Short mmCIF file of all heavy atoms in Angstrom, two decimals:
data_model
loop_
_atom_site.label_atom_id
_atom_site.label_comp_id
_atom_site.label_asym_id
_atom_site.label_seq_id
_atom_site.Cartn_x
_atom_site.Cartn_y
_atom_site.Cartn_z
N SER A 171 1.99 9.46 12.67
CA SER A 171 1.09 9.44 11.51
C SER A 171 0.79 10.86 11.04
O SER A 171 0.76 11.14 9.83
CB SER A 171 -0.21 8.72 11.87
OG SER A 171 0.02 7.37 12.20
N LEU A 172 0.57 11.76 12.00
CA LEU A 172 0.26 13.15 11.65
C LEU A 172 1.43 13.82 10.95
O LEU A 172 1.26 14.50 9.93
CB LEU A 172 -0.11 13.92 12.92
CG LEU A 172 -0.53 15.38 12.73
CD1 LEU A 172 -1.80 15.46 11.88
CD2 LEU A 172 -0.76 16.04 14.08
N VAL A 173 2.64 13.62 11.47
CA VAL A 173 3.83 14.24 10.88
C VAL A 173 4.08 13.67 9.49
O VAL A 173 4.42 14.40 8.55
CB VAL A 173 5.06 14.02 11.79
CG1 VAL A 173 6.34 14.43 11.06
CG2 VAL A 173 4.91 14.81 13.08
N ARG A 174 3.91 12.36 9.33
CA ARG A 174 4.15 11.77 8.01
C ARG A 174 3.14 12.29 6.99
O ARG A 174 3.50 12.57 5.85
CB ARG A 174 4.08 10.25 8.10
CG ARG A 174 4.33 9.60 6.73
CD ARG A 174 4.56 8.14 6.80
NE ARG A 174 4.73 7.57 5.48
CZ ARG A 174 4.90 6.29 5.23
NH1 ARG A 174 4.96 5.42 6.23
NH2 ARG A 174 5.03 5.85 4.00
N PHE A 175 1.88 12.42 7.40
CA PHE A 175 0.87 12.93 6.48
C PHE A 175 1.18 14.38 6.11
O PHE A 175 0.98 14.80 4.97
CB PHE A 175 -0.52 12.86 7.12
CG PHE A 175 -1.61 13.39 6.23
CD1 PHE A 175 -2.07 12.65 5.16
CD2 PHE A 175 -2.17 14.64 6.47
CE1 PHE A 175 -3.08 13.14 4.33
CE2 PHE A 175 -3.16 15.14 5.65
CZ PHE A 175 -3.62 14.39 4.58
N ASP A 176 1.72 15.14 7.05
CA ASP A 176 2.00 16.55 6.81
C ASP A 176 3.24 16.74 5.94
O ASP A 176 3.28 17.62 5.09
CB ASP A 176 2.20 17.27 8.15
CG ASP A 176 2.44 18.76 7.97
OD1 ASP A 176 1.58 19.43 7.38
OD2 ASP A 176 3.51 19.24 8.41
N ARG A 177 4.24 15.88 6.10
CA ARG A 177 5.52 16.10 5.43
C ARG A 177 5.79 15.16 4.27
O ARG A 177 6.58 15.49 3.39
CB ARG A 177 6.65 15.96 6.46
CG ARG A 177 6.55 16.94 7.62
CD ARG A 177 7.75 16.88 8.51
NE ARG A 177 8.97 17.22 7.79
CZ ARG A 177 10.18 17.25 8.35
NH1 ARG A 177 10.31 16.96 9.63
NH2 ARG A 177 11.23 17.57 7.63
N GLU A 178 5.15 13.99 4.23
CA GLU A 178 5.47 13.00 3.19
C GLU A 178 4.19 12.41 2.61
O GLU A 178 3.99 11.20 2.64
CB GLU A 178 6.36 11.90 3.76
CG GLU A 178 7.69 12.40 4.32
CD GLU A 178 8.55 11.27 4.85
OE1 GLU A 178 8.38 10.12 4.39
OE2 GLU A 178 9.37 11.51 5.73
N GLN A 179 3.35 13.26 2.08
CA GLN A 179 2.06 12.77 1.57
C GLN A 179 2.22 11.86 0.36
O GLN A 179 1.36 11.02 0.11
CB GLN A 179 1.17 13.96 1.21
CG GLN A 179 0.71 14.76 2.42
CD GLN A 179 -0.32 15.81 2.06
OE1 GLN A 179 -1.01 15.68 1.05
NE2 GLN A 179 -0.44 16.85 2.87
N TYR A 180 3.31 12.02 -0.41
CA TYR A 180 3.50 11.17 -1.58
C TYR A 180 3.83 9.72 -1.19
O TYR A 180 3.76 8.82 -2.02
CB TYR A 180 4.61 11.73 -2.46
CG TYR A 180 4.21 12.99 -3.19
CD1 TYR A 180 4.74 14.22 -2.83
CD2 TYR A 180 3.27 12.95 -4.22
CE1 TYR A 180 4.35 15.39 -3.49
CE2 TYR A 180 2.88 14.10 -4.88
CZ TYR A 180 3.42 15.32 -4.51
OH TYR A 180 3.03 16.47 -5.15
N THR A 181 4.21 9.50 0.07
CA THR A 181 4.48 8.13 0.53
C THR A 181 3.28 7.53 1.23
O THR A 181 3.36 6.42 1.73
CB THR A 181 5.68 8.12 1.50
OG1 THR A 181 5.33 8.79 2.72
CG2 THR A 181 6.88 8.79 0.88
N TRP A 182 2.17 8.26 1.27
CA TRP A 182 0.97 7.83 1.99
C TRP A 182 0.14 6.92 1.08
O TRP A 182 -0.87 7.30 0.53
CB TRP A 182 0.16 9.05 2.42
CG TRP A 182 -0.91 8.77 3.42
CD1 TRP A 182 -2.16 8.29 3.16
CD2 TRP A 182 -0.83 8.96 4.83
NE1 TRP A 182 -2.87 8.17 4.33
CE2 TRP A 182 -2.07 8.58 5.37
CE3 TRP A 182 0.17 9.42 5.69
CZ2 TRP A 182 -2.33 8.65 6.74
CZ3 TRP A 182 -0.10 9.48 7.04
CH2 TRP A 182 -1.33 9.10 7.57
N ARG A 183 0.60 5.71 0.91
CA ARG A 183 -0.09 4.76 0.04
C ARG A 183 0.33 3.35 0.42
O ARG A 183 1.31 3.13 1.10
CB ARG A 183 0.24 5.04 -1.42
CG ARG A 183 1.72 4.95 -1.76
CD ARG A 183 1.98 5.39 -3.20
NE ARG A 183 3.36 5.18 -3.59
CZ ARG A 183 4.34 6.05 -3.38
NH1 ARG A 183 4.08 7.19 -2.76
NH2 ARG A 183 5.57 5.79 -3.78
N SER A 184 -0.43 2.38 -0.07
CA SER A 184 -0.14 0.98 0.24
C SER A 184 0.99 0.42 -0.61
O SER A 184 1.54 -0.63 -0.30
CB SER A 184 -1.39 0.12 0.04
OG SER A 184 -1.79 0.14 -1.32
N GLU A 185 1.33 1.11 -1.71
CA GLU A 185 2.39 0.66 -2.62
C GLU A 185 2.14 -0.79 -3.07
O GLU A 185 3.00 -1.65 -2.95
CB GLU A 185 3.75 0.80 -1.96
CG GLU A 185 4.09 2.22 -1.56
CD GLU A 185 5.44 2.35 -0.90
OE1 GLU A 185 6.22 1.37 -0.93
OE2 GLU A 185 5.73 3.41 -0.34
N SER A 186 0.96 -1.02 -3.57
CA SER A 186 0.58 -2.37 -3.98
C SER A 186 1.48 -2.89 -5.09
O SER A 186 1.89 -2.17 -5.99
CB SER A 186 -0.88 -2.37 -4.47
OG SER A 186 -1.23 -3.63 -4.98
N SER A 187 1.78 -4.19 -5.01
CA SER A 187 2.60 -4.85 -6.03
C SER A 187 1.75 -5.70 -6.97
O SER A 187 2.25 -6.61 -7.62
CB SER A 187 3.66 -5.73 -5.35
OG SER A 187 3.04 -6.68 -4.50
N GLN A 188 0.46 -5.39 -7.04
CA GLN A 188 -0.46 -6.18 -7.85
C GLN A 188 -0.07 -6.16 -9.33
O GLN A 188 -0.24 -7.16 -10.04
CB GLN A 188 -1.88 -5.66 -7.68
CG GLN A 188 -2.93 -6.49 -8.44
CD GLN A 188 -4.33 -6.00 -8.16
OE1 GLN A 188 -4.53 -5.06 -7.41
NE2 GLN A 188 -5.32 -6.65 -8.75
N LEU A 189 0.45 -5.04 -9.80
CA LEU A 189 0.83 -4.94 -11.21
C LEU A 189 2.00 -5.86 -11.55
O LEU A 189 2.16 -6.29 -12.69
CB LEU A 189 1.18 -3.50 -11.57
CG LEU A 189 0.02 -2.50 -11.57
CD1 LEU A 189 0.54 -1.10 -11.86
CD2 LEU A 189 -1.04 -2.90 -12.59
N LEU A 190 2.83 -6.16 -10.53
CA LEU A 190 3.98 -7.02 -10.78
C LEU A 190 3.58 -8.49 -10.86
O LEU A 190 4.13 -9.24 -11.65
CB LEU A 190 5.02 -6.82 -9.66
CG LEU A 190 5.61 -5.42 -9.53
CD1 LEU A 190 6.58 -5.36 -8.38
CD2 LEU A 190 6.30 -5.01 -10.83
N ARG A 191 2.64 -8.86 -10.01
CA ARG A 191 2.19 -10.26 -10.03
C ARG A 191 0.92 -10.39 -9.21
O ARG A 191 0.90 -10.03 -8.04
CB ARG A 191 3.27 -11.17 -9.46
CG ARG A 191 2.87 -12.64 -9.38
CD ARG A 191 3.93 -13.46 -8.67
NE ARG A 191 3.52 -14.82 -8.43
CZ ARG A 191 4.18 -15.68 -7.68
NH1 ARG A 191 5.30 -15.31 -7.09
NH2 ARG A 191 3.74 -16.91 -7.49
N THR A 192 -0.13 -10.89 -9.83
CA THR A 192 -1.39 -11.05 -9.11
C THR A 192 -1.38 -12.37 -8.34
O THR A 192 -1.38 -12.37 -7.12
CB THR A 192 -2.58 -11.01 -10.09
OG1 THR A 192 -2.56 -9.78 -10.80
CG2 THR A 192 -3.89 -11.13 -9.33
N GLY A 193 -1.34 -13.47 -9.05
CA GLY A 193 -1.20 -14.79 -8.46
C GLY A 193 -1.90 -14.97 -7.13
O GLY A 193 -3.12 -14.81 -7.00
N MET A 194 -1.08 -15.29 -6.09
CA MET A 194 -1.62 -15.57 -4.77
C MET A 194 -1.98 -14.30 -4.00
O MET A 194 -2.44 -14.39 -2.86
CB MET A 194 -0.62 -16.40 -3.95
CG MET A 194 0.71 -15.71 -3.70
SD MET A 194 1.87 -16.77 -2.75
CE MET A 194 2.29 -18.00 -3.99
N LEU A 195 -1.80 -13.13 -4.61
CA LEU A 195 -2.12 -11.89 -3.92
C LEU A 195 -3.59 -11.83 -3.55
O LEU A 195 -3.95 -11.39 -2.47
CB LEU A 195 -1.75 -10.68 -4.79
CG LEU A 195 -2.15 -9.30 -4.23
CD1 LEU A 195 -1.40 -9.03 -2.93
CD2 LEU A 195 -1.87 -8.21 -5.25
N ARG A 196 -4.46 -12.27 -4.46
CA ARG A 196 -5.89 -12.17 -4.22
C ARG A 196 -6.29 -12.95 -2.97
O ARG A 196 -6.94 -12.43 -2.08
CB ARG A 196 -6.66 -12.68 -5.44
CG ARG A 196 -8.17 -12.50 -5.34
CD ARG A 196 -8.88 -12.96 -6.60
NE ARG A 196 -8.52 -12.15 -7.76
CZ ARG A 196 -7.73 -12.56 -8.74
NH1 ARG A 196 -7.20 -13.78 -8.70
NH2 ARG A 196 -7.46 -11.79 -9.76
N TRP A 197 -5.89 -14.20 -2.90
CA TRP A 197 -6.22 -15.02 -1.73
C TRP A 197 -5.50 -14.52 -0.49
O TRP A 197 -6.09 -14.36 0.58
CB TRP A 197 -5.84 -16.49 -1.99
CG TRP A 197 -6.86 -17.23 -2.79
CD1 TRP A 197 -6.79 -17.55 -4.12
CD2 TRP A 197 -8.11 -17.73 -2.33
NE1 TRP A 197 -7.92 -18.23 -4.51
CE2 TRP A 197 -8.74 -18.37 -3.43
CE3 TRP A 197 -8.76 -17.72 -1.09
CZ2 TRP A 197 -10.00 -18.97 -3.32
CZ3 TRP A 197 -10.02 -18.32 -0.98
CH2 TRP A 197 -10.61 -18.94 -2.10
N GLY A 198 -4.22 -14.27 -0.62
CA GLY A 198 -3.44 -13.84 0.53
C GLY A 198 -3.93 -12.53 1.10
O GLY A 198 -4.12 -12.39 2.32
N SER A 199 -4.16 -11.55 0.25
CA SER A 199 -4.59 -10.23 0.71
C SER A 199 -5.97 -10.28 1.35
O SER A 199 -6.19 -9.69 2.41
CB SER A 199 -4.60 -9.24 -0.47
OG SER A 199 -4.99 -7.97 -0.05
N ASN A 200 -6.91 -10.99 0.73
CA ASN A 200 -8.27 -11.06 1.27
C ASN A 200 -8.29 -11.76 2.63
O ASN A 200 -8.91 -11.27 3.58
CB ASN A 200 -9.20 -11.77 0.29
CG ASN A 200 -9.52 -10.92 -0.92
OD1 ASN A 200 -9.44 -9.70 -0.88
ND2 ASN A 200 -9.86 -11.56 -2.03
N LEU A 201 -7.63 -12.91 2.71
CA LEU A 201 -7.61 -13.64 3.98
C LEU A 201 -6.92 -12.83 5.07
O LEU A 201 -7.38 -12.76 6.22
CB LEU A 201 -6.90 -14.98 3.80
CG LEU A 201 -7.66 -16.05 3.03
CD1 LEU A 201 -6.75 -17.26 2.75
CD2 LEU A 201 -8.90 -16.50 3.80
N PHE A 202 -5.80 -12.20 4.71
CA PHE A 202 -5.06 -11.41 5.69
C PHE A 202 -5.88 -10.23 6.19
O PHE A 202 -5.97 -9.99 7.40
CB PHE A 202 -3.75 -10.92 5.08
CG PHE A 202 -3.01 -9.94 5.95
CD1 PHE A 202 -2.38 -10.36 7.11
CD2 PHE A 202 -2.97 -8.59 5.62
CE1 PHE A 202 -1.71 -9.45 7.92
CE2 PHE A 202 -2.30 -7.68 6.41
CZ PHE A 202 -1.68 -8.11 7.57
#
């Protein structure tokens, strides 16, 4: 985790796909 934060900060995100389709994401994400 430390090395990735130091070398690849632009990849340090959840990369959410909410913009592509919300649908069951709300229920699925909250329950999970």
Side-chain angles (χ1 to χ4, degrees):
S171 297
L172 183 62
V173 170
R174 180 168 177 183
F175 179 76
D176 182 58
R177 301 187 61 179
E178 300 181 25
Q179 292 188 24
Y180 288 109
T181 67
W182 193 278
R183 59 187 186 273
S184 64
E185 300 180 11
S186 175
S187 57
Q188 183 176 0
L189 291 177
L190 298 179
R191 177 186 173 189
T192 302
M194 62 181 71
L195 175 64
R196 185 177 296 106
W197 279 102
S199 180
N200 288 336
L201 287 172
F202 172 72

